[in-house]
């Protein structure tokens, strides 16, 4: 194992002083270390991994210094376009170092959404001609391994990567942790929303703990999972999955339970939703100002006026709530009025330690919802 501080010092000795990316649970201790120890202007938690590659490119163009871009391997898909059409040696030839958390590493137990990504990740890097090195808890010569990758990155003036296995970093607890003092947390909000809705309303929930909490609520109340689509992967896309359902099934109210990190990741979707304007569409944003599911790193969620954005995009109703009463009243307004409507509920970050995971597979989840929708 390596301490986040030691790894940070290795990067620093190789000239890295600018950091950007999207957090990952395997990198959470390193992300926490840089949040505490890098000035805010030199560490930007970005909307998505492609934006982070572009920001790192701009940084290099202006400073001549490569930046570090951290991400979960799920984010490689978001980054492929700017990696190949901006930073690639056959285009602008921009050196940058990616730190990629290897979820779904073959031979290790992981969730269904990570298995395929984990299996093909090195092939994707190979296909893009991106030099990389693997680092895990028993790598002894991290300094040398990192130094070699830096040399290749500089020599070829190209993106390069360090692929990080689970358990590589020692624990680091964020000192500058921001705590909000709101009434509810995400799971409280989910319970309240679901308890206010009737049986036939379709729920599409976002990536991370929100979907696990929806699953647990249904299980605990013996309600079955046939009304829910749990978006276990494809972060930022649950609102478009819901749009696809809402446009086809205009007789069903469709509720999206979204996260601030996810909405920020693909915010362009709000423009499309406002333009398509399906009356049966209700978008609920559970804003905890954090990437709670992967370590609680801050988002710009509490600094963003989402309800004004939704209104400007064309949503017919846009409400904010901070308390249980405001949330219940808000859900009632959504239920009784034509959409598309938007409700933002601000909550504290954090989740139960014993939160479970869906016990049925994504494919089973899809089939039971499809059967239900076809009735
Ligand atoms: C493209 C992509 N990048 C990163 C991740 C890792 N990831 C999973 S959940 C999550 C945080 C989501 O934050 P938010 O939407 O605010 O929901 P919260 O976890 O706070 O409930 C992240 C970064 C991912 N699954 N996919």
């Amino acid at each position: 194992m390596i301490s986040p501080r030691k790894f940070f010092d290795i990067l620093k000795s190789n000239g890295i002083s600018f950091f950007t990316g999207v957090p990952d649970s395997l990198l959470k201790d390193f992300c926490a270390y840089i949040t505490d120890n890098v000035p805010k202007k030199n560490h930007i938690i970005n909307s998505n991994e492609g934006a982070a590659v572009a920001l790192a490119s701009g940084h290099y163009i202006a400073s001549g210094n490569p930046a570090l871009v951290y991400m979960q391997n799920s984010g490689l898909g978001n980054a492929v376009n700017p990696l190949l059409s901006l930073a690639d040696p056959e285009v602008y030839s921009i050196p940058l170092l990616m730190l990629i958390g290897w979820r779904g590493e073959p031979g290790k137990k992981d969730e269904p959404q990570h298995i395929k990504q984990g299996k093909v990740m090195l092939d994707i890097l190979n296909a893009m001609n991106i030099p990389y090195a693997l680092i895990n808890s028993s790598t002894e010569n991290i300094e040398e391994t990192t130094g070699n990758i830096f040399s290749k990155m500089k020599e070829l003036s190209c993106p390069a990567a360090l692929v990080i296995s689970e358990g590589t970093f020692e624990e680091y607890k964020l000192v500058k942790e921001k705590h909000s003092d709101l009434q509810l947390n995400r799971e409280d909000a989910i319970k309240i929303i679901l308890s206010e809705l009737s049986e036939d309303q379709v729920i599409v929930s976002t990536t991370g703990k929100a979907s696990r909490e929806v699953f647990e609520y249904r299980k605990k109340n013996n309600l079955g999972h046939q009304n829910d689509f749990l978006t276990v992967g494809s972060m930022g896309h649950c609102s478009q999955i819901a749009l696809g359902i809402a446009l086809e099934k205009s007789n069903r109210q469709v509720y999206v339970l979204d996260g601030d990190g996810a909405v920020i990741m693909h915010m362009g979707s709000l423009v499309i939703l406002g333009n398509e304007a399906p009356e049966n569409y209700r978008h609920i944003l559970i804003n905890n100002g954090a990437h709670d599911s992967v370590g609680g790193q801050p988002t710009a969620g509490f600094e963003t006026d989402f309800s004004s954005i939704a209104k400007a995009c064309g949503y017919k109703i846009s409400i904010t709530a901070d308390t249980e009463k405001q949330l219940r009243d808000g859900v009632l307004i959504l239920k009784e009025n034509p959409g598309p409507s938007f409700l933002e509920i601000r909550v504290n970050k954090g989740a139960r330690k014993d939160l479970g995971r869906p016990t049925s597979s994504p494919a089973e989840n899809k089939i039971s919802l499809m059967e239900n929708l076809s009735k």
Side-chain angles (χ1 to χ4, degrees):
M1 276 182 135
I2 182 164
S3 81
R5 181 182 161 180
K6 178 152 185 234
F7 187 66
F8 177 78
D9 289 343
I10 295 174
L11 295 176
K12 212 162 105 185
S13 66
N14 281 286
I16 296 267
S17 61
F18 189 86
F19 301 80
T20 182
V22 177
D24 169 35
S25 50
L26 301 191
L27 307 176
K28 72 175 189 310
D29 299 293
F30 177 70
C31 291
Y33 186 84
I34 53 180
T35 299
D36 273 347
N37 292 286
V38 174
K40 234 177 151 232
K41 68 174 188 29
N42 281 5
H43 175 210
I44 296 174
I45 300 179
N46 222 315
S47 55
N48 65 59
E49 294 80 356
V53 168
L55 176 62
S57 302
H59 173 77
Y60 173 77
I61 292 162
S63 68
N65 295 323
L68 183 97
V69 176
Y70 57 82
M71 65 180 79
Q72 180 177 101
N73 53 351
S74 318
L76 200 51
N78 280 337
V80 165
N81 176 26
L83 283 171
L84 292 181
S85 65
L86 169 66
D88 190 87
E90 291 183 40
V91 194
Y92 288 102
S93 196
I94 293 183
L96 57 92
L97 184 69
M98 290 184 282
L99 194 66
I100 305 177
W102 195 356
R103 295 294 304 262
E105 182 176 348
K108 294 198 173 167
K109 195 171 176 290
D110 211 331
E111 295 306 301
Q113 66 273 22
H114 295 297
I115 305 294
K116 182 66 179 264
Q117 190 89 44
K119 219 185 293 179
V120 301
M121 183 192 57
L122 298 181
D123 289 340
I124 296 176
L125 292 175
N126 285 328
M128 291 195 285
N129 279 334
I130 291 182
Y132 60 81
L134 310 182
I135 293 186
N136 59 42
S137 56
S138 46
T139 307
E140 277 169 11
N141 48 354
I142 292 186
E143 213 156 340
E144 196 186 322
T145 308
T146 308
N148 289 342
I149 276 295
F150 264 100
S151 304
K152 273 197 193 144
M153 175 191 80
K154 285 185 181 153
E155 182 198 327
L156 303 170
S157 191
C158 70
L162 292 171
V163 175
I164 308 291
S165 292
E166 190 181 358
T168 296
F169 287 112
E170 286 169 10
E171 192 179 346
Y172 177 85
K173 268 223 144 332
L174 193 65
V175 178
K176 286 188 195 155
E177 179 128 41
K178 272 201 210 153
H179 289 285
S180 44
D181 189 19
L182 292 147
Q183 207 184 70
L184 307 172
N185 66 20
R186 184 190 49 239
E187 189 168 24
D188 300 326
I190 286 174
K191 283 182 188 162
I192 292 166
I193 295 160
L194 295 181
S195 70
E196 289 292 338
L197 300 181
S198 56
E199 294 270 300
D200 65 336
Q201 285 154 340
V202 177
I203 304 292
V204 181
S205 55
T206 188
T207 317
K209 291 184 178 167
S211 282
R212 291 163 62 184
E213 287 161 353
V214 169
F215 189 89
E216 293 249 310
Y217 175 88
R218 299 295 198 203
K219 196 166 106 190
K220 190 160 177 239
N221 294 286
N222 290 319
L223 290 168
H225 306 283
Q226 66 284 352
N227 286 315
D228 308 330
F229 188 87
L230 310 173
T231 313
V232 291
S234 65
M235 178 173 164
H237 291 307
C238 79
S239 64
Q240 290 292 322
I241 297 169
L243 176 62
I245 297 172
L247 291 173
E248 201 58 36
K249 296 284 163 195
S250 52
N251 59 332
R252 302 286 293 268
Q253 285 195 4
V254 179
Y255 284 77
V256 181
L257 303 183
D258 222 333
D260 46 299
V263 166
I264 292 168
M265 182 167 275
H266 293 299
M267 210 178 230
S269 284
L270 298 186
V271 175
I272 304 307
L273 286 155
N275 254 272
E276 291 304 318
E279 284 197 359
N280 56 336
Y281 194 94
R282 284 102 175 92
H283 199 161
I284 301 182
L285 167 61
I286 305 177
N287 182 1
N288 54 13
H291 288 281
D292 187 53
S293 303
V294 290
Q297 303 81 354
T299 66
F302 285 162
E303 283 76 50
T304 305
D305 183 353
F306 287 106
S307 79
S308 294
I309 292 171
K311 212 176 274 172
C313 289
Y315 284 69
K316 301 272 181 299
I317 294 172
S318 194
I319 307 168
T320 52
D322 282 335
T323 64
E324 174 169 355
K325 163 122 185 36
Q326 289 167 351
L327 178 58
R328 287 194 191 277
D329 292 349
V331 174
L332 204 67
I333 295 172
L334 262 50
K335 256 167 98 173
E336 290 176 353
N337 293 282
S341 40
F342 190 88
L343 167 60
E344 177 195 2
I345 166 79
R346 289 189 177 216
V347 299
N348 296 320
K349 64 179 183 176
R352 263 189 296 137
K353 287 255 175 318
D354 61 348
L355 179 64
R357 294 180 183 275
T359 46
S360 49
S361 70
E364 285 164 345
N365 174 215
K366 178 202 72 178
I367 290 166
S368 75
L369 177 61
M370 285 182 77
E371 280 170 5
N372 173 3
L373 290 174
S374 68
K375 282 179 196 155

